[in-house]
Amino acid sequence: MDSLVRAEIYVTEYKTLSQQTERELLCSLYNVTSLKLMGFEVEVMLNDESDKFPIFPNMRTLDLRSCFLDEYELYDKLEALGSFLQSAPCLEKLILRYCMFNSFSDSEWEIERKSITLHRQYGKTFQCQKLKLIEVIYDHDHDHRLIELLWSLGRSLPEASIKLKKIERFLT
C-alpha cells in the first residue's frame, strides 16, 4: 500500500477483525495524506511499543468518525489520540465526528451532571506542531462531556484552533 494516498476504513460494531489486525491495517497506511477511520477503539491506537507504530510522514488530514466510544475514561482516550497524533508530524487538520463519548445516555435512569469542574493539570501536551485545526462535530452534549473534551483538547494541543459544529444525526 506504499502508493495509497487516501484511505477510508470502517469498522462496524459487529466487527470480525481483531484489534491487532485493525492496528496492522492502520500501520500499513503510513504513506497516506488523508485518512478517514470509523469505529476504531482506544486499544487499537494505544501505543506502548513506539517502535512498532510507524510515522505517517505525509498525513495532512485525519477524520475520525464514531471512534473511541468504548468505556475508557476521557483521559485514556486522549492519550490514545495523542499517541497517534505524535506519529503524524505533518498533520494539519483533525476531524472528530461523534467521537469520544456516546451522545445518548446508556440508561434513562442515569443521573445527569449539573456542573463540571475543569482542572488545570489535566493531561499532557502533545507534539503536533503543524496541526492548525481541530474540528469537533457533535449532535448532543450529554452531561457536559463536550465541554470537558474541548477543554482537554485545548490543553493537550494548545497551538491548534478548535471549531465546534453541531449537526443533527438521523438514526434509522
Side-chain angles (χ1 to χ4, degrees), residues 7-172:
E8 295 183 19
I9 303 173
Y10 295 88
V11 178
T12 66
E13 62 184 282
Y14 307 107
K15 63 184 177 179
T16 57
L17 299 176
S18 69
Q19 289 179 341
Q20 179 63 29
T21 303
E22 286 179 41
R23 186 178 171 89
E24 289 169 3
L25 178 60
L26 184 60
C27 289
S28 71
L29 301 172
Y30 59 89
N31 269 334
V32 297
T33 59
S34 179
L35 181 60
K36 186 183 297 183
L37 302 175
M38 182 172 168
F40 274 68
E41 296 178 352
V42 168
E43 288 186 12
V44 175
M45 300 254 190
L46 280 177
N47 188 13
D48 293 333
E49 302 174 34
S50 58
D51 60 327
K52 293 188 178 183
F53 207 67
I55 299 295
F56 296 87
N58 302 320
M59 188 182 302
R60 303 289 186 269
T61 303
L62 176 60
D63 186 344
L64 300 176
R65 296 173 184 227
S66 301
C67 291
F68 303 136
L69 298 178
D70 35 4
E71 296 301 317
Y72 283 86
E73 293 294 324
L74 180 60
Y75 177 82
D76 295 322
K77 294 175 181 187
L78 290 170
E79 286 288 315
L81 178 62
S83 176
F84 185 83
L85 294 181
Q86 293 196 149
S87 296
C90 293
L91 188 69
E92 296 172 357
K93 184 175 183 179
L94 170 64
I95 302 167
L96 299 174
R97 187 181 309 259
Y98 315 120
C99 289
M100 299 294 182
F101 56 88
N102 283 312
S103 297
F104 305 103
S105 172
D106 290 340
S107 167
E108 62 184 80
W109 304 107
E110 188 174 324
I111 299 172
E112 186 174 339
R113 291 190 297 185
K114 299 294 182 196
S115 65
I116 184 172
T117 303
L118 302 172
H119 303 281
R120 284 185 178 206
Q121 67 277 14
Y122 191 84
K124 65 180 179 181
T125 302
F126 293 104
Q127 298 300 314
C128 200
Q129 296 175 349
K130 294 189 179 186
L131 184 61
K132 295 178 179 102
L133 178 63
I134 302 170
E135 190 171 324
V136 178
I137 300 169
Y138 73 103
D139 59 354
H140 181 69
D141 181 17
H142 181 74
D143 276 352
H144 309 294
R145 291 180 183 154
L146 185 61
I147 295 168
E148 193 174 0
L149 171 63
L150 294 176
W151 172 261
S152 300
L153 286 171
R155 303 276 305 151
S156 300
L157 298 158
E159 300 300 318
S161 296
I162 300 174
K163 180 179 179 181
L164 187 61
K165 189 187 287 186
K166 182 174 184 175
I167 298 177
E168 295 298 327
R169 218 178 353 177
F170 298 102
L171 300 175
T172 56

